[in-house]
Amino acid sequence: MVDCVIAEDELLLRDALIVQLAGAWPELRIVAACDDGGSALEALAAHQPQVAFLDIRMPGLSGLDVAGALAEVSPRTEVVFVTAYDQYAIDAFERGAVDYLLKPVAAARLAATVQRVKARLASATPDPGMLAALLRQLGRELPPPARPEPLVWLTASAGTETRLIMVEDVAYFQADSKYTVVMTAQGEALLRKPIRELLDVLDPAMFRQIHRSTIVNLKAIASVARDETGRGLVRLRTRPETLAVSQPFMALFRAM
């Protein structure tokens, strides 16, 4: 069996790809099907799969971000990018010897991709240098994602009060069941929005995901260190607590 991680934020496309892969590659075992880049990064670190199908555009970490961390997180994983971009980006994929699938995924194209990936798995290990060069090129050639204007302020509940909070004053966001804890220097409040939805509206230059359940304001970070077990820890300027950094996300901090 060949283990595989799939990352695609659109449910219908993700389910369709799972069904298509079951027919085109019966020996493939899908160990994780993720709807965002952060979950994909953690799944790759946990499962060390031979293959990953990564959507280029996802909330928070993109498929390119995830692929860029593979050298440290899961170095033996072959990448297949899933993309809606046409020929000008396809040339870059082909020069980089990395497989790609255009949305919607055609059966014939998927069959050809499966055969090429099988051949690479049988003959060699992935070349991190080649993948890194491709990612740099794609970063120059692909248009930036269409994003709404970054969130400037939000309303959150603190007991019986509703607070107006400027986003720049938030030290971090942390998932809490169906809600999100908003932590500032003054204390915590609850936001009725799941953390995954915040990834699309926060300024990526200001906020960084450090765990599947935690997003931190980069301006609020005093230091990033490791404890005696090797786990990453973020110390904050305005809060006494430390935040755990999921091991796969440490690779992203080193790339900053």
Side-chain angles (χ1 to χ4, degrees):
M1 298 293 288
V2 174
D3 288 347
C4 170
V5 166
I6 292 175
E8 165 62 67
D9 66 316
E10 296 184 44
L11 176 60
L12 293 178
L13 293 177
R14 186 168 67 248
D15 288 347
L17 182 56
I18 291 171
V19 170
Q20 288 177 287
L21 282 169
W25 199 344
E27 304 83 14
L28 192 71
R29 177 172 56 192
I30 298 172
V31 295
C34 308
D35 60 3
D36 64 77
S39 298
L41 192 63
E42 293 192 332
L44 286 161
H47 296 287
Q48 299 290 302
Q50 291 97 321
V51 186
F53 289 81
L54 303 177
D55 185 11
I56 284 187
R57 298 297 192 209
M58 291 184 289
L61 300 179
S62 70
L64 301 182
D65 295 328
V66 174
L70 280 179
E72 294 190 46
V73 171
S74 185
R76 296 186 301 113
T77 300
E78 291 280 355
V79 175
V80 178
F81 285 115
V82 184
T83 178
Y85 296 100
D86 214 333
Q87 192 58 49
Y88 73 101
I90 299 308
D91 291 341
F93 287 125
E94 291 180 340
R95 289 194 299 273
V98 172
D99 275 285
Y100 62 91
L101 295 170
L102 282 176
K103 300 179 185 181
V105 176
R109 175 68 198 181
L110 178 59
T113 294
V114 166
Q115 292 307 310
R116 282 196 296 272
V117 173
K118 283 182 176 180
R120 287 210 302 275
L121 289 174
S123 63
T125 57
D127 182 348
M130 182 178 293
L131 179 58
L134 171 67
L135 294 176
R136 288 193 295 271
Q137 183 171 348
L138 287 174
R140 293 191 297 268
E141 294 188 6
L142 289 177
R147 286 182 174 271
E149 286 295 315
L151 198 63
V152 175
W153 58 271
L154 52 85
T155 55
S157 302
T160 58
E161 295 182 345
T162 298
R163 293 182 181 172
L164 176 64
I165 300 173
M166 300 302 294
V167 170
E168 64 183 17
D169 294 332
V170 176
Y172 64 92
F173 297 93
Q174 198 157 57
D176 180 20
S177 186
K178 296 180 181 179
Y179 302 96
T180 298
V181 174
V182 182
M183 193 66 73
T184 67
Q186 289 72 41
E188 69 176 61
L190 285 180
L191 181 65
R192 294 178 179 273
K193 182 188 288 285
I195 201 165
R196 182 178 179 276
E197 293 183 14
L198 284 172
L199 292 169
D200 275 337
V201 294
L202 292 173
D203 184 351
M206 182 182 295
F207 288 90
R208 179 63 59 93
Q209 191 173 13
I210 60 169
H211 188 279
R212 184 183 304 182
S213 62
T214 309
I215 302 171
V216 67
N217 186 341
L218 295 177
K219 293 180 179 179
I221 295 176
S223 65
V224 182
R226 289 184 182 272
D227 64 14
E228 60 277 6
T229 68
R231 183 183 62 166
L233 296 173
V234 165
R235 293 184 175 86
L236 302 167
R237 299 181 188 278
T238 59
R239 300 287 312 172
E241 64 269 24
T242 57
L243 304 177
V245 183
S246 180
Q247 192 278 330
F249 287 87
M250 287 298 289
L252 299 176
F253 271 102
R254 284 190 286 273
M256 288 176 63

